[in-house]
Amino acid sequence: MNSKLVEKKLELKNIAITAMRKLVLDVFLQHKKAFSLADLESILENSDRSTLYRTLKTFEQKGLIHGIRENNTTQYLLCNDACDAENHYDFHLHFYCNQCEKTTCLEDVDFEGLKFPKGFTIQELKFVANGICKECTPKMQ
Ligand SMILES: [Zn+2]
Ligand SMILES: [Zn+2]
Ligand SMILES: [Zn+2]
């Protein structure tokens, strides 16, 4: 674990550093993909489910991760640095791969110019796509 980097990330979001929080954040930083509570439980053996759950909730409240509902479980992904305890700015597309069953955040999709009918105020926008991810697409020779 890059302890310094992990602690810096926690400090950036005003999250008090604990051993458990460092472990959980490290998993997210290393894999850069979505994890559910159950996933984390199996990765971090000897961890207590309710502590893990509280850790995820704290991370979400502080703008470190954002959750998406998928097949009746919540998957969590790292936020970008702009998110904080007040607001999440995760206006990006979530891509679900049908092959490896992993979800990734796609920041590089351009949604500028989206138009909504007059009289509607958007407070949250969710984009979900599914298909075959980069990892699962055979490399062009
Ligand atoms: Zn966020
Ligand atoms: Zn895939
Ligand atoms: Zn995302």
Side-chain angles (χ1 to χ4, degrees):
M1 183 197 302
N2 185 338
S3 223
K4 272 224 168 70
L5 178 82
V6 174
E7 287 179 13
K8 219 180 116 195
K9 279 254 169 202
L10 287 171
E11 276 167 10
L12 190 76
K13 306 280 179 172
N14 287 314
I15 303 169
I17 294 163
T18 67
M20 179 54 115
R21 288 171 184 172
K22 282 174 70 173
L23 281 175
V24 175
L25 178 55
D26 189 54
V27 172
F28 280 104
L29 287 171
Q30 281 192 30
H31 300 275
K32 294 195 161 49
K33 57 189 180 195
F35 291 102
S36 65
L37 178 59
D39 293 335
L40 289 167
E41 243 188 318
S42 61
I43 295 168
L44 302 166
E45 290 168 37
N46 309 321
S47 61
D48 166 62
R49 175 172 259 255
S50 62
T51 312
L52 261 181
Y53 179 78
R54 282 200 310 273
T55 304
L56 290 174
K57 285 289 139 194
T58 305
F59 282 5
E60 193 176 24
Q61 275 164 21
K62 296 284 191 178
L64 184 61
I65 58 173
H66 54 282
I68 47 168
R69 297 280 300 166
E70 203 167 76
N71 308 329
N72 292 321
T73 56
T74 304
Q75 303 267 341
Y76 294 93
L77 295 124
L78 276 183
C79 285
N80 57 50
D81 287 346
C83 293
D84 57 29
E86 306 292 316
N87 285 299
H88 279 274
Y89 300 97
D90 303 293
F91 299 134
H92 53 246
L93 185 128
H94 287 121
F95 189 94
Y96 176 78
C97 177
N98 292 324
Q99 201 155 315
C100 62
E101 300 180 347
K102 286 290 166 202
T103 302
T104 28
C105 298
L106 291 185
E107 303 279 356
D108 298 332
V109 181
D110 193 353
F111 292 112
E112 262 176 62
L114 274 185
K115 287 207 170 50
F116 293 95
K118 224 179 145 187
F120 290 86
T121 305
I122 310 301
Q123 294 183 315
E124 188 184 25
L125 208 46
K126 291 189 170 142
F127 300 100
V128 184
N130 51 52
I132 307 295
C133 78
K134 211 167 126 187
E135 249 56 38
C136 296
T137 302
K139 304 264 183 301
M140 300 277 212
Q141 294 293 333

